[in-house]
Amino acid sequence: ALPICTGKTVLSGGLDALEFIGKKTMHVLAESDPGFKRTKILMQRTASLSQMLREAKDKEKLRLAQQVTDDRTAHFGLLFDEFQGLSHLEALEILSNESETKVQSYLTSLDGEELESLKAELVAIKEIFLQKELEHLEAGESTEEKN
C-alpha cells in the first residue's frame, strides 16, 4: 500500500507544480502582452477558432469599408505595436538562438575534412549576407548624401 500512496503523492505534487507553472505563465503573459486579455475573453465567448476568425474578418472588412483612405497613413511604429511586433521579434530571436545551438551541436559531431568543408560553406553563406547588408547600407548613405 505504501508504494501506491507514494505514487499518488508524487503524481499529485507533480500536477500541482504543473498547475502552478501554468498559472504563473498565464499571469506573466497577461502582464506582458496587451492583447492577451482581449484574446482570452474572445476565446471564451466564441465556440471555435474558425468562428472567431470569420467574425474578425467580417469586422475588419466592415471597418475598412467605413474608413476614409486618406485619414490614416501607415506608420511603422503604430503597425509594429498593433500587430505585437515586439512579441514576434522576440520569437524570431528565440528561434534564431535555437537554430544556432543546433548548428553548433551538429558541428561538434563532425571532425576532420567534413568539419572544414561545412565551415567553409557556412562562411561563404555568411559573406553573401554581409555583402547584401553592406550594399543596403551604401545605398542608404548615397540616398542621404543626395538629400
Side-chain angles (χ1 to χ4, degrees):
L2 184 61
I4 292 173
C5 183
T6 304
K8 286 181 179 179
T9 304
V10 169
L11 183 62
S12 176
L15 290 175
D16 289 343
L18 285 174
E19 181 181 4
F20 173 78
I21 291 169
K23 284 181 179 178
K24 189 70 173 174
T25 302
M26 295 301 278
H27 179 70
V28 169
L29 285 174
E31 288 177 351
S32 64
D33 187 0
F36 179 75
K37 289 179 183 176
R38 185 177 57 201
T39 303
K40 187 176 177 183
I41 290 169
L42 279 173
M43 290 299 286
Q44 290 172 347
R45 283 193 297 159
T46 55
S48 67
L49 179 60
S50 61
Q51 179 187 353
M52 185 180 79
L53 291 173
R54 211 174 300 117
E55 288 174 5
K57 183 180 176 183
D58 292 341
K59 284 181 184 177
E60 183 64 16
K61 278 184 182 178
L62 182 61
R63 186 184 72 80
L64 288 174
Q66 293 174 348
Q67 182 181 16
V68 177
T69 57
D70 292 339
D71 74 345
R72 181 176 178 211
T73 58
H75 184 269
F76 180 75
L78 293 174
L79 293 173
F80 191 79
D81 291 340
E82 183 178 340
F83 293 101
Q84 286 86 28
L86 188 59
S87 299
H88 293 289
L89 181 62
E90 289 172 352
L92 287 172
E93 288 175 351
I94 291 169
L95 184 61
S96 175
N97 291 338
E98 288 175 357
S99 297
E100 177 70 22
T101 303
K102 286 180 183 179
V103 168
Q104 292 301 327
S105 174
Y106 181 70
L107 287 175
T108 57
S109 71
L110 298 177
D111 60 337
E113 193 175 310
E114 285 181 322
L115 179 61
E116 293 305 316
S117 172
L118 189 57
K119 277 187 178 180
E121 287 181 42
L122 290 173
V123 168
I125 292 169
K126 183 178 180 180
E127 287 175 357
I128 291 170
F129 283 102
L130 289 175
Q131 177 80 23
K132 295 284 185 188
E133 187 175 340
L134 183 60
E135 289 172 5
H136 286 299
L137 287 174
E138 289 174 352
E141 288 175 2
S142 65
T143 304
E144 288 177 7
E145 289 173 5
K146 290 178 184 175
N147 292 336

